[in-house]
């Protein structure tokens, strides 16, 4: 929240398009803003280590809601991360890019390894969703 306020003060606007100018002038501020946005949206998306809510939420939800959570809701976290990536300027610093890439790889592997051990179909769906988010992160943020 503080970073939005700083970007608002520096740009004089609440329009995200005006934030890009502020972040293009100060790459350190852009990297810090992106990392904080990545943590916030990573919780929504279910990246490891922010995934703890997902395997518990799927079994508690009705079946049709569990499907919607896997198919739509956690993907909005990916959309938010991509949106912040384009707001802060493309490409991010190598440190940020590799941090996101390593987080995505760990998420993909963690999801697969835990999905193999599941007998409850909804928890299996949750761990496969974590794996899917990791694969999307690998493809989207690969700095190569």
């Amino acid at each position: 929240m503080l970073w939005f306020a700083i970007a608002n003060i520096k740009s004089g606007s609440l329009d995200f398009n005006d934030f890009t100018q502020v972040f293009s002038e100060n790459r350190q501020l852009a990297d810090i803003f992106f990392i904080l946005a990545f943590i916030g949206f990573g919780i929504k998306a279910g990246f490891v280590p922010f995934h703890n809510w997902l395997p518990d939420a799927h079994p508690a939800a009705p079946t049709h809601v569990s499907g919607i959570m896997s198919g739509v809701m956690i993907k909005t976290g990916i959309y938010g991360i991509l949106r912040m990536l384009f707001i802060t300027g493309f490409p991010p610093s190598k440190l940020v890019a590799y941090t996101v890439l390593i987080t995505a790889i760990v998420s993909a592997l963690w999801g697969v390894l835990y999905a193999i051990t599941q007998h409850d179909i909804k928890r299996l769906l949750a761990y496969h969703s974590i794996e899917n988010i990791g694969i999307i992160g690998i493809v989207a943020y690969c700095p190569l």
Side-chain angles (χ1 to χ4, degrees):
M1 196 71 159
L2 175 66
W3 294 105
F4 284 109
I6 291 171
N8 176 24
I9 291 168
K10 290 192 177 256
S11 68
S13 172
L14 286 174
D15 187 10
F16 281 177
N17 293 327
D18 294 336
F19 290 176
T20 57
Q21 181 181 4
V22 172
F23 292 133
S24 66
E25 296 167 1
N26 190 345
R27 287 303 307 163
Q28 255 186 335
L29 181 64
D31 286 344
I32 292 169
F33 183 83
F34 180 76
I35 288 293
L36 291 174
F38 178 74
I39 290 170
F41 287 117
I43 291 169
K44 178 84 167 168
F47 278 107
V48 170
F50 316 116
H51 72 289
N52 294 334
W53 67 274
L54 199 53
D56 296 331
H58 274 272
T63 304
H64 63 283
V65 174
S66 186
I68 291 172
M69 280 180 12
S70 285
V72 178
M73 190 188 76
I74 63 173
K75 304 311 187 280
T76 59
I78 291 290
Y79 172 75
I81 293 168
L82 286 172
R83 182 81 173 137
M84 292 301 121
L85 182 67
F86 289 114
I87 286 171
T88 57
F90 193 82
S93 69
K94 286 193 181 237
L95 177 65
V96 171
Y98 282 119
T99 302
V100 172
L101 180 62
I102 289 168
T103 303
I105 290 170
V106 169
S107 295
L109 293 175
W110 190 280
V112 167
L113 292 175
Y114 271 79
I116 291 170
T117 64
Q118 294 304 311
H119 299 290
D120 180 13
I121 192 74
K122 287 186 178 182
R123 290 183 71 83
L124 176 76
L125 181 63
Y127 283 113
H128 274 302
S129 297
I130 294 168
E131 176 230 351
N132 189 7
I133 288 298
I135 292 170
I136 292 169
I138 292 168
V139 172
Y141 305 112
C142 187
L144 303 176

